[in-house]
Amino acid sequence: MLVEFEGKFSKTKTDAIFNAIAYGTQKLFPHEDGVFINIEAIRKQGVCGDCMFEDDKDFTIRLNKSLSLKDLIITVLHELVHVKQYLECMIMDTESAYDDRWQEIEAHALEKELAEGFYAQA
C-alpha cells in the first residue's frame, strides 16, 4: 500500500488519514498488494469526499480538508469501501439517485461498522 498526499492537511489530520487507511485496508482488502492511493485535499461545499479509479490498482480519494477529524475518518473509511468495490471489479450504478445507488448503500453501512472498530482499537 502506497499513500501519497496532494495538498495540505494538518499533521493531526494527516496522521488520522494514514491510521484510517491502514485500518480500513486491513479490514476491507487485506490481501491486495500494490494498491496506490493518492489523497487530494479539496475545499468544496457540500462534498465530504469521493473516490476515483485511475488505473489498475491506482486510486484518488479527494477529501474535504474542512471536515472535522471524526467526519474525515468516517469519509476515509467510506471511500475505502469504494476502493474495495473497484478492486472487486464491481459495476458502479451511475444512473440512480445518489442515495439509491447500491455502492453508496454498502459504503454508508460499512463506514459505520468500520468507524466503530477503528475507535474501539484506539
Side-chain angles (χ1 to χ4, degrees):
M1 172 73 53
L2 178 62
V3 179
E4 289 187 1
F5 282 80
E6 187 176 319
K8 266 212 160 321
F9 288 93
S10 70
K11 169 107 171 83
T12 301
K13 287 185 176 180
T14 299
D15 291 346
I17 292 166
F18 270 121
N19 291 336
I21 288 173
Y23 177 82
T25 57
Q26 188 254 339
K27 294 296 182 187
L28 293 167
F29 43 96
H31 304 294
E32 285 289 342
D33 293 324
V35 176
F36 171 75
I37 299 175
N38 180 50
I39 300 294
E40 184 178 329
I42 61 169
R43 278 191 195 264
K44 192 171 182 182
Q45 283 192 328
V47 175
C48 293
D50 57 27
C51 176
M52 292 169 281
F53 171 73
E54 301 293 350
D55 183 35
D56 194 27
K57 292 184 178 186
D58 293 352
F59 302 90
T60 296
I61 294 177
R62 298 187 313 166
L63 299 168
N64 190 328
K65 64 189 294 176
S66 65
L67 292 175
S68 69
L69 194 56
K70 179 183 174 188
D71 288 340
L72 184 65
I73 289 168
I74 289 170
T75 301
V76 168
L77 296 170
H78 176 102
E79 300 308 333
L80 286 174
V81 174
H82 294 315
V83 170
K84 175 191 79 75
Q85 293 164 343
Y86 282 119
L87 288 169
E88 293 173 350
C89 300
M90 305 300 283
I91 306 295
M92 301 301 189
D93 176 359
T94 58
E95 302 297 317
S96 302
Y98 175 83
D99 290 332
D100 295 334
R101 296 175 182 177
W102 73 266
Q103 69 266 20
E104 296 304 333
I105 293 167
E106 180 182 38
H108 283 291
L110 286 176
E111 78 184 22
K112 292 176 179 70
E113 181 182 320
L114 290 165
E116 288 173 10
F118 178 80
Y119 285 113
Q121 62 140 15

